[in-house]
Amino acid sequence: LGDYRGAIPLFREASEIWKEALGSQHYEYATSLHNLARIYTTTGQYAAAENLYQESIEIVKANYGHEHAEYATSLNNLALLYERMGDVDRAEPLYRQCKDIRLATLGDEHPAYASVLNNLGTLYRDRGDFEKALPMLEKSLETHKAAYGEDHNAFATSLNNLALLHQQQEETEYQSLDSIEEILSDSTMHGYQPGSYTAYLPRGGQRPLPLFV
């Protein structure tokens, strides 16, 4: 965990200083809570992280409203926490709300919009909803490339996630083909003689090569 645990008391101290100097509803105090929540997330202290994110979100909302880009960032980071906890049902609506806010406030060519598309697209990919995931991951890749070029880590992340989507699609096709072959094999054993099952394979009768990243 590196020096993360050593950083926790420092972030706590900074939060108390901001709170004492500026008050519990100041944006800088909310930022300090957000930073501490990220450390708790990294060290696996999810309950503590959730409480701090929730408090930070309420302060940001009070300062900027619920249609501001800063509020969207808070939603995105809470969604990341929920996804890390395995609670995608709570993560998805937060990602969607963040996406809508960033689209309205920043536009569809902004890298922050691309980042939430990447996060939401990855969630859909891991849930097996490839039709929703594909356009989001493709748009994320395109926008990050335009904003940063091909040598930036955001582009590399988008590229990797799109590649993993294609890999998972191909693995799903393999599973479907294996199921068809098993059904046909069982049918043959019971006296049913179907036509050649190569008709169920991709054109040419060859399975696609998997994409490894």
Side-chain angles (χ1 to χ4, degrees), residues 34-110:
H34 170 85
N35 292 337
L36 182 55
R38 290 185 63 181
I39 296 296
Y40 280 139
T41 300
T42 303
T43 56
Q45 300 177 71
Y46 297 144
E50 181 181 6
N51 290 335
L52 291 177
Y53 275 136
Q54 292 283 12
E55 184 179 356
S56 175
I57 284 173
E58 290 305 312
I59 298 171
V60 171
K61 183 178 179 180
N63 278 271
Y64 295 111
H66 64 278
E67 296 181 352
H68 194 276
E70 292 292 342
Y71 181 68
T73 297
S74 299
L75 296 177
N76 178 75
N77 291 330
L78 181 58
L80 285 168
L81 171 65
Y82 286 146
E83 189 171 5
R84 188 162 183 169
M85 294 168 62
D87 194 346
V88 295
D89 289 337
R90 284 203 286 177
E92 181 187 356
L94 295 177
Y95 280 142
R96 291 176 63 87
Q97 188 178 356
C98 174
K99 177 178 71 70
D100 292 343
I101 295 170
R102 285 182 173 174
L103 178 61
T105 58
L106 303 174
D108 65 353
E109 299 299 323
H110 196 282

Side-chain angles (χ1 to χ4, degrees), residues 89-166:
D89 289 337
R90 284 203 286 177
E92 181 187 356
L94 295 177
Y95 280 142
R96 291 176 63 87
Q97 188 178 356
C98 174
K99 177 178 71 70
D100 292 343
I101 295 170
R102 285 182 173 174
L103 178 61
T105 58
L106 303 174
D108 65 353
E109 299 299 323
H110 196 282
Y113 179 68
S115 293
V116 71
L117 287 182
N118 174 79
N119 295 340
L120 185 56
T122 299
L123 183 149
Y124 285 141
R125 181 201 69 198
D126 292 343
R127 205 163 63 184
D129 196 341
F130 301 141
E131 289 187 5
K132 286 184 178 179
L134 182 59
M136 291 186 178
L137 294 178
E138 287 181 335
K139 175 61 176 175
S140 175
L141 179 67
E142 173 189 330
T143 304
H144 279 141
K145 181 179 179 180
Y148 300 125
E150 297 184 2
D151 295 326
H152 194 275
N153 63 339
F155 175 78
T157 298
S158 296
L159 186 63
N160 181 74
N161 286 331
L162 182 58
L164 287 173
L165 169 63
H166 288 299

Side-chain angles (χ1 to χ4, degrees), residues 187-188 191-195:
S187 299
T188 302
Y192 176 64
Q193 298 294 332

